[in-house]
């Protein structure tokens, strides 16, 4: 494990990595150019919304027409909003980050409030015996995202599936931060034999392929949220140990730590009161990115039949319903949960990377 202090560029500013820069053609320097951006952005936004509504609501139109309409509509909405945002807020406006944050907030609120929302049946197949299976998505119908072979509502299943994915992913990352952070701080502060033993154990865990380890654990543990969370935590702990160790070594020689030791503070007090709060920030920012990894890992287990079992929905076992030629005839069975999975993982990555850059400042630790 190597620890290298590097200088990272600061956030913001026209020339920073998150800005658009002075040469961005979309940034207007005078009111006339801004008005043009507003006008063009408004037109693109209206056209994109119209195409999106057509693709979602025109149930009588074949999927080969609806899917391109939805994609073009999303592109139009994005480019329109981006131009409006640049005209309003300038070159530092990051639409991708804003949309990622909005998606995560909406998804988390929907998952928490799912029992209170007017959703269709999501797992009780006896309640949908008379319902038609494989109803295609239709925005203004009772099943806006369609139904599966049992007539269960896909929108409801995706929202309730988000509950399982988020609970498992967040729990695994929290366990990883607590356990990995504590072990990493001990390794970085005590060094010597303690650091060597912890390093060997950490590298041993990292040497085992993640999917092999998860399959082995899933085959011997009962597939419930608690056991899957603990199994996934084993993937998060080694990375957290390395980050905590590297940052502890960097902070251990800082003035506030030396002052605490000079005033007679014990080793445990130094680690808990001085080092842990400073190490927590990089761990939390890494945790945002690790949540997306945990979501994909949980979906992989469920897809293989080793995670949460149907009829309880997760995005992984929903995607698995497209096997056996179902995807070719009813592609929305896979596309709907796949889009939820993709957008959530993408959003956590964007927000996590932004958090990492914000917390690193100009002096970060790179492994």
């Amino acid at each position: 494990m190597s620890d290298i202090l590097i200088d990272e560029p600061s956030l913001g500013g026209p020339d920073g990595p998150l800005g658009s820069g002075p040469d961005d053609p979309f940034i207007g320097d005078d009111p006339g150019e801004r008005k043009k951006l507003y006008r063009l952005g408004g037109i693109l936004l209206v056209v994109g919304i119209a195409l999106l509504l057509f693709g979602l609501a025109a149930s009588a139109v074949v999927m080969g027409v609806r899917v391109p309409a939805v994609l073009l509509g999303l592109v139009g909405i994005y480019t329109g909003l981006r131009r409006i945002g640049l005209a309003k807020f300038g070159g530092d406006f990051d639409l991708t980050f804003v949309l990622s944050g909005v998606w995560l907030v909406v998804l988390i609120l929907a998952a928490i409030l799912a029992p209170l929302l007017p959703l269709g049946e999501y797992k009780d197949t006896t309640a949908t015996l008379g319902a038609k299976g494989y109803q295609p998505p239709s925005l203004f119908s009772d099943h806006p995202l369609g139904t599966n072979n049992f007539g269960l509502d896909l929108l409801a299943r995706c929202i309730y599936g988000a509950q399982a994915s988020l609970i498992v992913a967040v729990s695994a990352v929290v366990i990883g931060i607590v356990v990995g952070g504590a072990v990493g701080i001990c390794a970085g502060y005590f060094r010597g034999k303690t650091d060597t033993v912890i390093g060997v154990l950490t590298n041993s865990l990292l040497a085992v392929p993640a999917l092999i380890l998860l399959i082995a654990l899933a085959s011997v543990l009962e597939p419930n949220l608690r056991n899957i969370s603990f199994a996934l935590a084993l993937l998060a702990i080694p990375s957290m140990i390395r980050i905590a160790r590297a940052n502890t070594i960097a902070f251990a020689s800082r003035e506030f730590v030396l002052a605490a030791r000079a005033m007679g503070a014990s080793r445990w007090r130094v680690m808990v009161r001085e080092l842990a709060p400073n190490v927590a920030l990089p761990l939390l920012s890494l945790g945002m990115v690790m949540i997306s990894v945990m979501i994909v890992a949980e979906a992989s287990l469920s897809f293989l039949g080793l995670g949460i079992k149907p009829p309880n929905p997760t995005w992984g076992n929903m995607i698995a319903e497209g096997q056996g030629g179902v995807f070719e005839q009813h592609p929305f069975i896979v596309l709907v949960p796949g889009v939820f999975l993709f957008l959530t993982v993408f959003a956590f990555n964007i927000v996590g990377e932004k958090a990492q850059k914000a917390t690193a400042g100009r002096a970060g630790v790179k492994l």
Side-chain angles (χ1 to χ4, degrees):
M1 290 181 277
S2 61
D3 316 293
I4 305 172
L5 292 177
I6 61 171
D7 288 335
E8 293 186 357
S10 59
L11 296 180
D15 298 325
L18 300 177
S20 299
D23 299 327
D24 195 316
F26 300 126
I27 302 176
D29 296 325
D30 58 68
E33 289 189 20
R34 292 185 180 274
K35 287 182 179 179
K36 291 180 182 179
L37 283 174
Y38 277 122
R39 190 180 304 114
L40 179 58
I43 293 172
L44 289 171
L45 182 60
V46 171
V47 172
I49 292 175
L51 287 172
L52 180 62
L53 292 176
F54 169 78
L56 294 176
S59 57
V61 181
V62 296
M63 280 299 235
V65 175
R66 294 174 62 188
V67 172
V70 169
L71 294 177
L72 289 175
L74 292 175
V75 171
I77 292 173
Y78 180 85
T79 54
L81 288 176
R82 181 169 185 267
R83 282 163 173 78
I84 293 173
L86 289 172
K88 177 69 175 178
F89 302 105
D92 290 335
F93 178 72
D94 188 349
L95 179 60
T96 303
F97 173 74
V98 172
L99 292 178
S100 298
V102 169
W103 170 260
L104 292 180
V105 170
V106 171
L107 183 69
I108 292 171
L109 288 177
I112 294 173
L113 302 175
L116 305 177
L117 298 177
L119 299 172
E121 182 55 48
Y122 73 99
K123 75 172 185 177
D124 186 3
T125 56
T126 61
T128 58
L129 290 176
K132 178 184 177 182
Y134 296 125
Q135 294 186 44
S138 181
L139 184 61
F140 301 109
S141 68
D142 293 335
H143 306 288
L145 298 183
T147 63
N148 68 356
N149 59 322
F150 294 109
L152 299 174
D153 185 71
L154 288 183
L155 175 60
R157 286 177 63 77
C158 284
I159 292 177
Y160 278 96
Q163 286 185 345
S165 295
L166 292 175
I167 289 173
V168 168
V170 173
S171 299
V173 170
V174 169
I175 294 171
I177 289 176
V178 174
V179 176
V183 174
I185 290 174
C186 291
Y189 189 72
F190 289 113
R191 305 299 297 270
K193 293 182 179 180
T194 301
D195 187 23
T196 301
V197 172
I198 292 175
V200 171
L201 295 176
T202 301
N203 290 330
S204 299
L205 278 176
L206 291 172
V208 180
L211 187 58
I212 301 278
L213 177 61
L214 287 178
I215 291 175
L217 291 172
S219 62
V220 298
L221 297 175
E222 182 181 351
N224 54 44
L225 294 179
R226 182 191 60 190
N227 290 339
I228 294 175
S229 299
F230 281 117
L232 292 178
L234 292 178
L235 300 183
I237 287 175
S239 298
M240 296 299 178
I241 290 175
R242 299 188 70 182
I243 292 294
R245 174 188 176 274
N247 281 275
T248 299
I249 293 174
F251 285 116
S253 59
R254 298 286 292 273
E255 293 81 0
F256 61 90
V257 175
L258 298 178
R261 295 176 61 182
M263 294 174 64
S266 65
R267 290 181 172 182
W268 296 108
R269 182 179 177 84
V270 170
M271 288 191 290
V272 173
R273 297 293 297 274
E274 307 297 338
L275 293 174
N278 290 281
V279 173
L281 283 178
L283 289 181
L284 290 173
S285 60
L286 175 64
M288 290 293 294
V289 178
M290 288 294 293
I291 288 176
S292 63
V293 177
M294 299 297 105
I295 290 175
V296 173
E298 185 277 327
S300 301
L301 286 178
S302 297
F303 179 83
L304 296 173
L306 300 174
I308 305 300
K309 302 295 184 182
N312 294 311
T314 69
W315 293 333
N317 63 33
M318 289 177 67
I319 293 174
E321 293 178 1
Q323 299 181 78
V326 174
F327 175 71
E328 288 77 4
Q329 299 179 21
H330 310 285
F332 62 89
I333 292 294
V334 173
L335 293 178
V336 169
V339 168
F340 270 80
L341 176 63
F342 168 78
L343 291 178
T344 304
V345 171
F346 180 82
F348 271 116
N349 278 327
I350 293 297
V351 174
E353 288 177 4
K354 191 94 166 184
Q356 282 185 316
K357 292 178 181 178
T359 56
R362 296 192 61 85
V365 177
K366 182 179 180 181
L367 297 180

